[in-house]
Amino acid sequence: QSALTQPRSVSGSPGQSVTISCTGTTSDVGGYDWVSWYQQHPGKAPKLLIYDVYKRPSGVPARFSGSKSDSTASLTISGLQADDEANYYCSSYAGVHVFVVFGGGTELTVL
Amino acid sequence: QVQLQESGPGLVKPSETLSLSCSVSGVSMSTTGHFWAWIRQPPGGGLEWIASIQSNGRISHNPSFAGRTTMSVDTSKSVFSLRLATVTAADTAKYFCARDLYGFTEFDSWGSGTLVTVSS
């Protein structure tokens, strides 16, 4: 069982928007503004999409955005494209004893 | 551009020690403030952080591994390593090395991963 809870799957049609949630506790997501999101295509390494809740690394399209409310972080993908079909993982800093926790992952299907 | 590449045996026997190395190129591992991490993913499963090491050798471990993990770093050779002791079938996974940019908050560069199977 993962420390952060994500929906197992979400889906959307091309051009639509989808939001993936990531629920933790006050010991991780709710306690720090250090939430990251990763995209992983099958057989590939994860790719950093979002860090520090909402910041995007260079080269990540603005279609990907992050936010947080209390102990739940969210990743929103707007203008869905076929290549967005992948697994998405959230992670959070979790303090000086646990350090890092990941979510169980969400499979995005583009219909 | 930072590049990482894992290497090590693909098959380890139960109760033995898993040893992996990660070669880093495109950046100096001595850069202050950067960490280097191991993360694993069991077949069909999610990601699990194992441990991170700083260039000065200071290591932070995932407590769920109950002291089975050891890391080392050789900045002159641009290599860092993982040793996981007393493995079981539950340790079968793809193991990724990654740059842990500022310590536990974002893994911004990843190796392609190496599959390690624990079986007799």
Side-chain angles (χ1 to χ4, degrees):
Chain A
Q1 186 174 352
S2 301
L4 305 180
T5 300
Q6 297 180 233
R8 277 196 173 263
S9 63
V10 297
S11 63
S13 299
Q16 287 186 334
S17 295
V18 294
T19 296
I20 300 171
S21 62
C22 169
T23 301
T25 68
T26 54
S27 296
D28 37 65
V29 175
Y32 309 95
D33 287 333
W34 288 325
V35 175
S36 296
W37 289 92
Y38 302 85
Q39 176 191 61
Q40 186 182 33
H41 287 106
K44 301 294 187 181
K47 172 189 173 183
L48 179 66
L49 284 180
I50 297 288
Y51 66 99
D52 293 355
V53 176
Y54 65 91
K55 297 176 182 178
R56 284 179 289 105
S58 173
V60 174
R63 303 187 296 107
F64 295 90
S65 62
S67 62
K68 191 186 84 164
S69 177
D70 297 327
S71 296
T72 297
S74 298
L75 171 71
T76 297
I77 308 171
S78 58
L80 269 179
Q81 300 178 0
D83 189 53
D84 296 335
E85 189 161 286
N87 288 294
Y88 293 82
Y89 294 90
C90 61
S91 75
S92 174
Y93 178 66
V96 297
H97 299 292
V98 178
F99 300 105
V100 182
V101 289
F102 279 96
T106 298
E107 182 180 22
L108 169 62
T109 300
V110 180
L111 303 171
Chain B
Q1 182 179 355
V2 183
Q3 293 187 313
L4 302 97
Q5 181 63 59
E6 305 87 352
S7 60
L11 182 64
V12 181
K13 290 183 169 55
S15 81
E16 294 189 345
T17 296
L18 178 162
S19 295
L20 296 172
S21 293
C22 181
S23 296
V24 179
S25 60
V27 68
S28 169
M29 290 191 70
S30 300
T31 303
T32 303
H34 288 179
F35 293 59
W36 304 91
W38 288 97
I39 296 162
R40 73 179 186 181
Q41 184 173 38
L47 300 170
E48 181 178 33
W49 173 74
I50 301 171
S52 293
I53 191 168
Q54 296 175 252
S55 58
N56 62 8
R58 181 174 179 177
I59 305 167
S60 299
H61 303 267
N62 183 333
S64 68
F65 284 86
R68 295 194 295 134
T69 54
T70 304
M71 285 186 71
S72 62
V73 61
D74 187 335
T75 56
S76 65
K77 296 181 179 178
S78 293
V79 172
F80 65 103
S81 301
L82 171 73
R83 289 170 61 86
L84 177 62
T86 323
V87 297
T88 69
D91 294 310
T92 293
K94 180 174 271 192
Y95 286 76
F96 296 96
C97 58
R99 184 170 69 171
D100 178 4
L101 196 54
Y102 296 119
F104 325 118
T105 60
E106 62 209 71
F107 303 99
D108 73 325
S109 299
W110 296 65
S112 58
T114 186
L115 178 63
V116 178
T117 301
V118 178
S119 175
S120 55

